[in-house]
Amino acid sequence: LLLLLLSRLRVTMGWSLVMLGLASLGFAAWLSNRHPDAAYYHPLTRFWELLVGAAVARLHFVTGEARWPGKLRLPMPRAMLSLVGFLLIATAMLFFGHDHAHPGLATAWPLAGVALLLCAGPQALANRWLSWRPLVWVGLISYPLYLWHWPMLSYVRIMDSGSPAASVLWTAAGLSLAAAWLTYRFVEL
């Protein structure tokens, strides 16, 4: 709504995205060092993440589909963009831990990866990997999986005094997948 209002007021959208994004990122970095739980759930600490997506969409809209990322007409530059984006996300998944405040400055690392994947276009090398059918299936059920996994995993932790066996956790994860698929199939569709 804020971006719509700014566009109606004829405010320069590019600078608005940058300034709002920097303000939100600064607030996220500040709050995550003081109150990590509040920072995680506060909408203004997450606003900059959405604005990165808005900036990529704006770049695409302003320059046109035929130009960006079409300026990279050859497959190799697109492949490189997508591979760098994929590596940024993968390294964040593998090496970022509880010592990295989230949302905070460290969040910019994987988010830059996502932006690069989007800018590379659907035919880029890493994006074709990500279109593998099992990954697309997980993407389709990702929201119900997000909703189901927490109560199921929390329940087994509560029932087992906080330290369930790995087999119990894996069973809960499998049940979460099944419940997510059923929710997608019979509710979302």
Side-chain angles (χ1 to χ4, degrees):
L1 292 174
L2 177 62
L3 296 178
L4 274 174
L5 175 66
L6 291 173
S7 70
R8 297 271 189 238
L9 295 174
R10 304 213 187 270
V11 175
T12 306
M13 193 54 63
W15 283 112
S16 297
L17 290 171
V18 169
M19 299 309 291
L20 289 170
L22 288 175
S24 175
L25 175 59
F27 182 57
W30 176 81
L31 192 59
S32 64
N33 288 327
R34 285 161 181 72
H35 305 287
D37 289 343
Y40 185 81
Y41 292 106
H42 200 294
L44 294 180
T45 62
R46 308 311 286 268
F47 191 52
W48 72 277
E49 298 169 351
L50 297 171
L51 288 175
V52 169
V56 170
R58 182 183 182 282
L59 180 67
H60 183 75
F61 176 76
V62 169
T63 60
E65 187 175 347
R67 294 188 48 152
W68 180 262
K71 285 184 179 180
L72 308 169
R73 294 197 194 295
L74 299 174
M76 186 55 77
R78 286 178 183 244
M80 296 308 295
L81 261 188
S82 70
L83 287 174
V84 169
F86 185 82
L87 286 174
L88 289 172
I89 295 168
T91 55
M93 288 174 58
L94 294 173
F95 300 115
F96 286 17
H98 294 292
D99 54 331
H100 293 88
H102 176 72
L105 295 176
T107 310
W109 184 270
L111 198 57
V114 170
L116 290 175
L117 283 174
L118 290 171
C119 288
Q123 296 306 316
L125 181 63
N127 293 359
R128 289 196 317 261
W129 295 343
L130 294 171
S131 66
W132 184 41
R133 195 181 277 282
L135 293 178
V136 171
W137 180 79
V138 171
L140 288 173
I141 66 163
S142 63
Y143 186 67
L145 183 59
Y146 164 74
L147 295 175
W148 280 109
H149 88 285
W150 189 253
M152 292 219 188
L153 292 174
S154 295
Y155 179 76
V156 296
R157 282 197 168 95
I158 291 167
M159 293 307 296
D160 210 356
S161 300
S163 56
S167 61
V168 174
L169 289 172
W170 281 107
T171 302
L175 289 172
S176 298
L177 277 172
W181 181 81
L182 290 170
T183 302
Y184 172 74
R185 173 70 177 86
F186 295 107
V187 176
E188 286 190 29
L189 292 181

